[in-house]
Amino acid sequence: MTTPRSIRSVAPVPTGCSSFKLRQLSRRVSQHFDHIVCAAGLKTTQYSLLSHIVKLGPVRPGELAAVMEMDASTLTRNLRPLVDQGWVVVVAGADGRSRCVTITSAGRAKRIEARREWKRAQTALNARLGAGAVVRLHALIDKCLLAMNEPVDVAGD
């Protein structure tokens, strides 16, 4: 006996470019956050960087870049304005060859100011997309990041 076509379940097939779709969403969400967080004089990326430095404490640049999943040159480029503003300092590390990134008291104050704006941006995003959708989106992103960070066996062994 055959199952009618309308009853058979068909596995969905992705169409389009996942990279493009993710970049579209990322740009739109970044624009949303930047529009609100700029009231504190920061870009969202700068706020995120300050927050990670606070969370990790004095931290080696390589470790900070790894936690934020960015390359070293991007981190260096993103740290420069924070150093120039006096919100962050990069000092010699324990062995003299290494460096350490630390937030200053001015940087802590700037982060507190920006955190209020970031919370406003997150609340507005939650309202716009629906809190349940944001929770599901975060879970999906976390799951995808885990999968993308798994080693790939390119040899096929």
Side-chain angles (χ1 to χ4, degrees):
M1 180 162 145
T2 61
T3 307
R5 181 179 279 283
S6 61
I7 297 176
R8 280 187 242 157
S9 67
V10 177
V13 176
T15 58
C17 176
S18 297
S19 178
F20 177 72
K21 299 297 279 179
L22 286 168
R23 284 180 184 267
Q24 277 185 306
L25 179 60
S26 179
R27 279 192 296 269
R28 184 66 69 215
V29 171
S30 292
Q31 289 166 356
H32 166 83
F33 274 83
D34 281 342
H35 177 73
I36 296 172
V37 173
C38 77
L42 288 177
K43 295 178 182 176
T44 306
T45 53
Q46 294 170 324
Y47 169 73
S48 180
L49 195 48
L50 285 176
S51 294
H52 277 85
I53 295 167
V54 166
K55 178 181 175 183
L56 299 171
V59 60
R60 291 186 329 266
E63 182 183 345
L64 181 58
V67 168
M68 295 188 73
E69 297 198 25
M70 65 173 58
D71 60 47
S73 64
T74 300
L75 176 66
T76 300
R77 191 171 47 256
N78 289 345
L79 277 175
R80 177 59 33 212
L82 303 181
V83 170
D84 291 346
Q85 290 293 327
W87 299 328
V88 168
V89 292
V90 181
V91 296
D95 66 6
R97 290 178 296 158
S98 63
R99 296 178 303 144
C100 190
V101 180
T102 305
I103 194 160
T104 64
S105 57
R108 285 185 190 283
K110 180 52 74 174
R111 182 184 172 271
I112 289 168
E113 176 188 353
R115 185 170 170 80
R116 287 189 293 269
E117 300 305 324
W118 173 84
K119 282 183 178 182
R120 230 172 33 94
Q122 186 64 56
T123 299
L125 184 76
N126 293 351
R128 190 169 196 174
L129 299 181
V134 173
V135 168
R136 290 188 304 277
L137 177 62
H138 288 194
L140 179 59
I141 290 168
D142 290 344
K143 180 180 177 181
C144 291
L145 283 171
L146 280 173
M148 293 302 293
N149 286 331
E150 290 178 0
V152 177
D153 181 8
V154 292
D157 294 334

